[in-house]
Amino acid sequence: MDSINADTSRLLIRFNPVLKPIKDIVFAQRCLSDTALTNTDTASIVLNLEGDIIEGRFRITSDVKANADNRFSISRILFNKTQTLSIIEVAFNCKGNCGKGYFVLIKKGSNGKWFISKVKQTWIA
């Protein structure tokens, strides 16, 4: 723990500000069989970030010119008809040669708060 606390390395993550819809809704439903989702809105949303997010040693940027080896992306959120279940697609790529992708199922609890119910890995490179 002492060596971790003494580490002064900085981490730069490039965030893709374009939130695209989940491409393969059929695969998403197969991975999360207890979900009935509909993909009616296929438009992408572009987040207009006012600058980098800096938290301690971490810097998250959407600047495509940033010298970052890593890129984090998320899809648009997709809800079921009653808006009690939702899913997002999350991906993390490193240098274009490796990465992982996941579906994240988020449920609305009886108290009205949302929580992550299931994470299903969908690909690895």
Side-chain angles (χ1 to χ4, degrees):
M1 285 303 295
D2 290 339
S3 64
I4 292 172
N5 290 333
D7 186 357
T8 59
S9 301
R10 301 190 72 73
L11 178 64
L12 172 65
I13 298 175
R14 189 162 43 112
F15 173 73
N16 184 355
V18 180
L19 306 181
K20 296 180 180 179
I22 295 174
K23 292 178 188 173
D24 193 348
I25 190 66
V26 174
F27 182 62
Q29 287 185 261
R30 264 201 333 260
C31 289
L32 307 165
S33 58
D34 59 348
T35 329
L37 301 167
T38 56
N39 194 6
T40 56
D41 191 350
T42 58
S44 294
I45 296 174
V46 179
L47 299 178
N48 295 318
L49 303 177
E50 294 293 324
D52 294 352
I53 300 167
I54 300 172
E55 181 68 37
R57 297 182 298 196
F58 297 92
R59 176 178 159 221
I60 300 174
T61 184
S62 62
D63 183 357
V64 294
K65 296 177 183 175
N67 185 16
D69 294 332
N70 307 312
R71 185 173 179 169
F72 175 74
S73 303
I74 61 173
S75 70
R76 290 188 58 174
I77 193 163
L78 184 62
F79 293 94
N80 66 348
K81 290 182 181 181
T82 59
Q83 294 196 349
T84 56
L85 296 169
S86 63
I87 187 172
I88 59 171
E89 193 170 14
V90 178
F92 184 77
N93 300 295
C94 45
K95 294 187 181 182
N97 299 323
C98 61
K100 289 183 179 182
Y102 301 90
F103 283 136
V104 180
L105 180 67
I106 306 165
K107 288 186 178 181
K108 190 174 191 178
S110 58
N111 62 358
K113 293 185 180 183
W114 291 87
F115 64 94
I116 295 174
S117 171
K118 186 187 287 187
V119 177
K120 173 77 174 176
Q121 185 173 328
T122 56
W123 63 268
I124 188 169

